[in-house]
Structure formats: C-alpha cells, structure tokens
Amino acid sequence: MTDTTPGWLTRDDLEEARARMPVLYVEAVPVRVDDSGEVTSIGLLLRIGSDGAVSRSVVSGRVLHHERVRDALLRHLEKDLGPVALPRVPAALQPFTVAEYFPTLGDTPFHDPRQHAVSLAYIVPVAGDCRPRQDALDLVWFSPEEASSPMVLNEMPGGRGTLLRQALAHVGRLS
Amino acid sequence: MTDTTPGWLTRDDLEEARARMPVLYVEAVPVRVDDSGEVTSIGLLLRIGSDGAVSRSVVSGRVLHHERVRDALLRHLEKDLGPVALPRVPAALQPFTVAEYFPTLGDTPFHDPRQHAVSLAYIVPVAGDCRPRQDALDLVWFSPEEASSPMVLNEMPGGRGTLLRQALAHVGRLS
Amino acid sequence: MTDTTPGWLTRDDLEEARARMPVLYVEAVPVRVDDSGEVTSIGLLLRIGSDGAVSRSVVSGRVLHHERVRDALLRHLEKDLGPVALPRVPAALQPFTVAEYFPTLGDTPFHDPRQHAVSLAYIVPVAGDCRPRQDALDLVWFSPEEASSPMVLNEMPGGRGTLLRQALAHVGRLS
Amino acid sequence: MTDTTPGWLTRDDLEEARARMPVLYVEAVPVRVDDSGEVTSIGLLLRIGSDGAVSRSVVSGRVLHHERVRDALLRHLEKDLGPVALPRVPAALQPFTVAEYFPTLGDTPFHDPRQHAVSLAYIVPVAGDCRPRQDALDLVWFSPEEASSPMVLNEMPGGRGTLLRQALAHVGRLS
C-alpha cells in the first residue's frame, strides 16, 4: 500500500509532515448554472467518515508535490464526481476565499483534528453527469435556499457549513 | 430609428444622460480555455469605428434600465460573437476590475471622449463557434503572448490595451 | 435649491434619468480591524427614511458624473461618518460584490422602489472617530455575531441585510 | 541552531518536507497609498541571495504550522520592514492571485529551484517608517511606472517580476 512515487508521502510520512507544516488543500463547490451563469443548485457529497459518521461536504483534497492547483482541482473533481462531470475549473487562480483548518478549536471558523490545512476555495460549475466514486456515497443537488438551511449546514462538520455559506454569498445566492 | 421601449433612450436622451451621469457598461474578455481552465487564447474584435479608424476591442456595451448585469453580458456576447458562441458567464458578479472611462484624458488610464463610462470587466470562456455580427468585422484569436505584444495593444484605443493586460494578469498569462 | 453644476442633476432630471438608466452607486461597509487586519466590528448607520421608518444601513450613495469611484467612496464616507473617520479606501477597485437594486421585487435579492441602482460594494476599515452627519442619526458598532443576527438584518430593508452578510462572508466573519 | 519548537522544522526536516509537499508561502507587495486609496509607490527589497546575486523582491516567507495566514503576513512584514512600518493587512483573506513556484522551469511563470512553493499574494499598504532588517539590504520605493520598467523587472528572479506586474494590474497601475 506504500506509494513510492516521488512527491507522494507514505502514511507515516504524511502524519509527520502534517504535524509540522500547513498542508495545502483545494476545495471546489460544485454548482449547476443557467445560461446566464447564475447558480441554480449546489452539489454536496454525502460521505461516511473513518469514524462512521455521516456528513456532507464539497469536493476537497490535497495538492501534491509538483502538482498545479488547477490539476489538483481536476483530479479531486474527477475522483469525487466521476469522469464525465465536465467541471469548468476557473480561468483565474484567485480563490473566493482561503479556509484555514486548525487542529485546535476556536482559532478560525474551520477545524480539522488531523492537521493544519489551508484550503484554496473555488466555485466550479459542472455541466455533465456526476457519478460519485471512492468513499463518497452519493451526490445530492440542493437549491441555494436548501443549501443554506440549518439542517444541511449542521451536517457539514469542521466549519464546512461556513465555507458553503461563503460560497453562496460570493455567488449572490445566500438567503 | 427612435426606440420608444421604456428603459431605452433616444439618441438625444442618451446624449443628455451621458453628459450628466456615469453610464454603466460591462466588458467581457472572450477566452478559450483548456480542460484545466487555463487560458490558451484571447479573442479580440476588429472594428471600424464611426470615424473609420480600425481598432481592436473586447466585447462591451451598456447595461440597460431594468437589465441584470449577467443579462447585459449575455446580450452583448451574443451581439458580438453570434448565437452559438456558448459563453460561460461567471457564477459570481465580482468583476476582476472596474474600468473608469473618463471623457477627459489623464484622470484614469481609460478614456472615452463620448462619456463617463464605468465598466465591470469579466473574463468569459467561450466554448462554441464565434461569428461576429453587427459592426464587428472579425474576431481574431491570439495567444496570451501575442495579445500582450505592443502591436496588438497599440490597436486598442482608450486604454483598452490596459484592460486587456489586466485581464491577462488576472488569469496568470501576462508575459 | 436647483444645482446647476455640470454633472449634477436637478431633482426632476434625476427622476427622469432614474427611469431610463441604471444608476451607479458605491456602498462601503465600515469596519474596525485589529493589527492583523481581522474584522472585529461593523458599523451600521441608523437612519430615518423619508417615510419615517427607522432602518439600518451601510454607507452608500451615487457616483457623480466625472467622479472616480474612489472619490465617490471618500465623499460618501465623509458625508456619513464625518471628517475624521480616517477611512482606508481599498487599493484595488475590484469590489467584493456588485449589488443590483431593482425597482421591482424578485428579480434580484435587492430592491429599491425609486430606481434601478447598481452598486459596487467595498469593505472599508475606518481608524478614526466616526461622527455621523446629515440624515444619519447614529452609528452603532456591532460584533460580527451581532451584525448577522436576525434582529439587525431585519432592520436593513431592500436586501441590505443580504449585502451585509455577503460582506461578513467575504471577510470570514459570517456566523 | 536547531529549532525544536513544535511546528518548526530543522534544516534537514525542511529539506525533506520541501521535496515531498508544496510549501505554503505568503507574499505581500508593500505599497504607499494616497487618501483615496490609490497606489502611489511600491516598495521593493534589495537582497543578496545565498549565491551572492543581487535581486529585488517583495515581502515573502513561509506559513508555519499552526500559524494563521494573517499572522504569517504580519510576521514577515515586520521581519522585512521593521517594527514601525504599520502595515495594513487586508480584511479579507482572498488573495489577488496565487503564485505557484515550481522547482522545474516552464510549468508555471514562477520558479524556485529549492522547492514547490504555493504563495498567497496580497497588496499591503504600509503607513509608517520602513527599516529593513535581516538579510534585506535596503527598501526602495518606486513609482508604478518605474516598478513596471524592464530594468526593475529584470532584477526580480523566479517570476517575481510577473507577480509584481500582476499586483500593479490588480490596483490599476500597470503602465
């Protein structure tokens, strides 16, 4: 199971690196848009975490050594949404926000007990069929109103509900 | 030739309004992107102005009364690029910059002798076939390197070369 | 009471122009920041409208003919916060969002019965003393948590509560 | 010389981590602004690198484990500009761009032979006295025109001249 490709980390190495450096992530909020570009729905992944807890999340994952941010976005979008989702990665690398996940609570609105992760967050329209793979159980599309409801936000741990609301605010669909 | 639709201005009314209020514009820089979203080429319109001068420009035009910014973008994109250009208007209304065209020289990098125009500027990937219409003679695709060459920029009057360079900088392709 | 300065409109002219063209506004959300730039409080103006209704709002106003956006920001900040507020107008004109106030309800999240106004919205840290003038009765500072409470948001008509939440989201303080 | 504070890396550890994960950086372009927020000059550090080469750069440095981006900005600004520079770290974490420094040439416009570094880039107005410390020899203020001249840009290795031009474009001062 050990990956020896240069730039990849073994599980032990990753544990050690995570304890010593902020880990760079990308996050992509999958959306459907109409012809005028307005967001009509938001896709959330339903996951079962390593502790068995059910949670909803956006697409996210690490940026690897010698990987461009936009290639990391593409890779995680394909991993989570399947090969025919037709994601439209933004032309500019300027993220709508930077989310800082701290291993301790209260330093920022974001929390990740495993590590200090810094995430570049993007809105990504997807035009094709989404077929979740890997550890994702399902992808559910919500209207902007549903996505910002307490019921949905409460199922997004670690401050990811805050990130989703920031995304909705950025596209003018926070209700 | 007088348009009496509410919200539209006759030529005289428009002249008068232009002398008294800033006029709201949108500008769209048409780009081709690869699968990872990186800009591979920039589309510039070749126009003949009312004074016969040849010039290059991006898609631009007024926002009408009771028209949303994204509908104005769509309308001008269709007017200048034709009905099957398949433009991807951004999901967020945050422009990459705001260009202020002044009727006097030197107040800002932008100049429009007719009016004080304030323009919201966007990068717009287009996926389909572009068939310029109306007063546009031709649409020419340039590589990012060509688009930022002095030869091209010198054919863009009123500071539009500056706007193009701001667009290239925003997408990380200013050379 | 008629203002005959070129670029200014008489009340009648303004009424007429408002019926025919979108009117360009700027909005500034006044904030206090700590040394690290993090927003610690948000300033809201308490106003009495022409109909006697009490409401809260951010700094806002028209951009005049031949006035730069940043000069319009400064002018309205001084008008609403007084001469020693020491506002820090952003170095970049890229607004955090564009708010479209429509005279009809439901087209966008924003509504202004008087006109179609398009507003460039900025976060503006203020370092000095704020002394509201003109029609503003008072300036009240709220914590980010208070500012996003329903009680405050309900006192912000025309969708201005949505704009405030977009501002809080943009600075990472939406709770 | 070995720093054993948790979250800090020894020189060997840092070498190893750099070979395996992208390293998160912040970059701050120090600017002087006038009352309206317009950038009037740009501060560049004159450095002597480990190989003796003279070069110009903006403020930059790593984000440490368990350090917020805005605290990293403050720390590097103080390290490079001294304790009384009075930097105004932005209220929002949205950077104007993300610069990807690759150890190989040609993957992106940015190059760092030591590592794969991903840098969040900000414009930071400074209001106080700047007194460079540490390895920086001098801080020189340039007008926007001077800063975008080939002579200055050629002294900025690794694509940092491109980053400076992106910064100038973002604040509307690219000439």
Side-chain angles (χ1 to χ4, degrees):
Chain A
M1 294 295 289
T2 302
D3 191 332
T4 55
T5 312
W8 288 69
L9 302 179
T10 64
R11 184 172 296 268
D12 279 358
D13 288 343
L14 183 56
E15 288 303 312
E16 193 175 314
R18 278 177 167 160
R20 299 185 164 216
M21 286 173 69
V23 181
L24 184 65
Y25 271 66
V26 287
E27 287 182 288
V29 181
V31 298
R32 297 281 195 202
V33 296
D34 65 18
D35 283 350
S36 73
E38 181 142 275
V39 170
T40 55
S41 51
I42 295 96
L44 295 178
L45 296 161
L46 190 66
R47 288 178 194 275
I48 294 193
S50 56
D51 60 349
V54 173
S55 64
R56 297 189 192 276
S57 68
V58 300
V59 172
S60 85
R62 280 212 300 136
V63 181
L64 299 179
H65 187 259
H66 215 281
E67 183 183 39
R68 292 185 311 162
V69 165
R70 46 178 80 254
D71 292 321
L73 277 169
L74 264 187
R75 180 170 56 83
H76 291 292
L77 285 160
E78 181 168 341
K79 179 196 68 187
D80 283 346
L81 304 184
V84 292
L86 303 181
R88 298 170 181 172
V89 174
L93 283 185
Q94 183 183 43
F96 72 87
T97 198
V98 174
E100 305 180 87
Y101 294 88
F102 268 50
T104 48
L105 281 166
D107 291 293
T108 72
F110 307 103
H111 178 235
D112 185 336
R114 300 169 302 165
Q115 62 189 340
H116 173 199
V118 176
S119 168
L120 310 178
Y122 300 91
I123 311 288
V124 179
V126 295
D129 283 337
C130 295
R131 298 170 191 164
R133 308 194 303 182
Q134 295 212 358
D135 59 341
L137 291 186
D138 201 3
L139 179 80
V140 184
W141 292 98
F142 293 95
S143 71
E145 294 71 28
E146 292 166 341
S148 52
S149 70
M151 192 168 65
V152 169
L153 296 175
N154 288 341
E155 291 174 338
M156 305 187 73
R160 286 169 188 86
T162 294
L163 188 78
L164 177 58
R165 293 169 86 214
Q166 289 180 284
L168 289 166
H170 186 66
V171 298
R173 298 308 307 265
L174 183 65
S175 56
Chain B
M1 292 296 288
T2 301
D3 192 331
T4 54
T5 312
W8 289 68
L9 301 179
T10 65
R11 184 171 296 270
D12 279 359
D13 288 345
L14 183 56
E15 289 302 314
E16 195 176 312
R18 277 176 167 161
R20 299 185 163 215
M21 286 173 68
V23 181
L24 184 65
Y25 271 66
V26 287
E27 288 183 287
V29 181
V31 297
R32 297 281 194 204
V33 296
D34 65 18
D35 282 351
S36 74
E38 182 143 274
V39 170
T40 55
S41 50
I42 294 97
L44 295 177
L45 296 160
L46 190 65
R47 288 177 193 275
I48 294 193
S50 56
D51 60 349
V54 172
S55 65
R56 296 188 193 279
S57 68
V58 300
V59 172
S60 86
R62 280 211 299 137
V63 181
L64 299 180
H65 187 259
H66 214 280
E67 184 182 40
R68 291 186 311 163
V69 164
R70 47 177 80 255
D71 292 320
L73 276 169
L74 264 187
R75 180 170 57 83
H76 291 293
L77 284 160
E78 181 167 343
K79 180 195 70 185
D80 283 347
L81 305 183
V84 292
L86 303 180
R88 298 169 181 174
V89 174
L93 283 185
Q94 183 183 44
F96 72 87
T97 198
V98 175
E100 305 180 88
Y101 294 87
F102 268 49
T104 48
L105 281 165
D107 291 292
T108 73
F110 306 103
H111 179 235
D112 186 336
R114 300 169 302 165
Q115 63 189 339
H116 173 199
V118 176
S119 169
L120 310 178
Y122 300 92
I123 311 288
V124 179
V126 294
D129 283 337
C130 295
R131 300 169 192 164
R133 309 193 303 180
Q134 295 211 354
D135 59 340
L137 290 187
D138 202 4
L139 179 80
V140 184
W141 291 99
F142 293 94
S143 71
E145 293 72 28
E146 292 165 341
S148 52
S149 70
M151 192 167 64
V152 169
L153 296 175
N154 288 340
E155 290 174 339
M156 304 188 73
R160 285 168 188 86
T162 294
L163 188 79
L164 177 58
R165 292 169 84 214
Q166 288 180 283
L168 289 165
H170 186 66
V171 298
R173 298 307 308 265
L174 183 65
S175 57
Chain C
M1 293 297 289
T2 303
D3 191 331
T4 55
T5 312
W8 288 69
L9 302 179
T10 64
R11 184 171 296 270
D12 278 0
D13 288 346
L14 183 57
E15 289 303 311
E16 195 177 314
R18 277 178 168 160
R20 299 184 165 218
M21 287 173 67
V23 181
L24 184 65
Y25 271 66
V26 287
E27 288 183 287
V29 181
V31 298
R32 298 281 193 202
V33 296
D34 66 17
D35 282 351
S36 74
E38 181 142 275
V39 170
T40 55
S41 50
I42 294 97
L44 295 178
L45 296 161
L46 190 67
R47 289 177 194 274
I48 294 194
S50 56
D51 59 350
V54 173
S55 64
R56 297 189 192 277
S57 68
V58 300
V59 172
S60 85
R62 281 211 298 138
V63 180
L64 299 179
H65 186 260
H66 214 280
E67 184 182 41
R68 292 186 311 164
V69 164
R70 48 177 78 255
D71 293 320
L73 277 169
L74 263 188
R75 181 170 56 83
H76 290 293
L77 285 160
E78 181 168 341
K79 179 195 70 187
D80 283 347
L81 304 183
V84 292
L86 303 180
R88 297 169 181 173
V89 174
L93 283 185
Q94 183 183 43
F96 71 87
T97 198
V98 174
E100 304 181 88
Y101 294 88
F102 268 49
T104 48
L105 280 165
D107 292 292
T108 73
F110 306 102
H111 178 235
D112 185 337
R114 300 169 302 165
Q115 62 189 341
H116 173 199
V118 176
S119 169
L120 310 178
Y122 300 92
I123 311 288
V124 179
V126 295
D129 283 336
C130 295
R131 299 170 191 164
R133 307 192 307 180
Q134 295 208 359
D135 59 340
L137 291 187
D138 203 4
L139 179 81
V140 184
W141 292 98
F142 293 94
S143 72
E145 294 72 27
E146 292 166 341
S148 52
S149 70
M151 192 167 65
V152 169
L153 296 174
N154 288 342
E155 291 174 337
M156 304 186 74
R160 287 168 187 87
T162 294
L163 187 79
L164 176 59
R165 298 204 320 155
Q166 289 180 284
L168 289 166
H170 185 65
V171 297
R173 298 306 306 265
L174 183 64
S175 57
Chain D
M1 294 297 289
T2 302
D3 191 331
T4 54
T5 312
W8 288 69
L9 302 179
T10 65
R11 184 170 297 270
D12 278 358
D13 288 343
L14 182 57
E15 289 303 313
E16 195 176 313
R18 277 176 168 161
R20 300 187 163 217
M21 287 172 69
V23 182
L24 183 66
Y25 271 65
V26 287
E27 288 184 286
V29 182
V31 298
R32 297 281 195 201
V33 295
D34 65 18
D35 283 350
S36 74
E38 181 143 274
V39 170
T40 55
S41 52
I42 293 97
L44 295 178
L45 296 161
L46 190 67
R47 288 178 194 273
I48 294 193
S50 56
D51 59 350
V54 173
S55 64
R56 296 189 193 276
S57 68
V58 301
V59 172
S60 85
R62 280 212 298 137
V63 180
L64 299 179
H65 186 260
H66 215 278
E67 184 183 39
R68 293 185 310 162
V69 165
R70 47 179 78 256
D71 292 321
L73 277 169
L74 263 187
R75 180 170 57 84
H76 291 293
L77 284 160
E78 181 168 342
K79 178 196 71 187
D80 283 347
L81 304 183
V84 291
L86 304 181
R88 297 170 181 173
V89 174
L93 283 184
Q94 184 184 43
F96 71 87
T97 198
V98 174
E100 305 181 87
Y101 294 88
F102 268 50
T104 48
L105 281 166
D107 292 292
T108 73
F110 306 103
H111 178 236
D112 185 337
R114 300 169 302 167
Q115 63 189 340
H116 173 199
V118 176
S119 168
L120 310 178
Y122 300 91
I123 311 288
V124 178
V126 294
D129 284 337
C130 295
R131 299 171 191 162
R133 308 191 305 179
Q134 294 207 359
D135 60 339
L137 291 186
D138 202 3
L139 178 81
V140 184
W141 292 98
F142 292 95
S143 71
E145 294 73 27
E146 292 166 342
S148 52
S149 70
M151 191 168 64
V152 168
L153 296 175
N154 287 341
E155 290 174 338
M156 304 187 73
R160 287 168 187 86
T162 294
L163 188 79
L164 177 59
R165 298 202 323 151
Q166 289 179 286
L168 289 166
H170 185 66
V171 297
R173 299 308 307 265
L174 184 65
S175 57

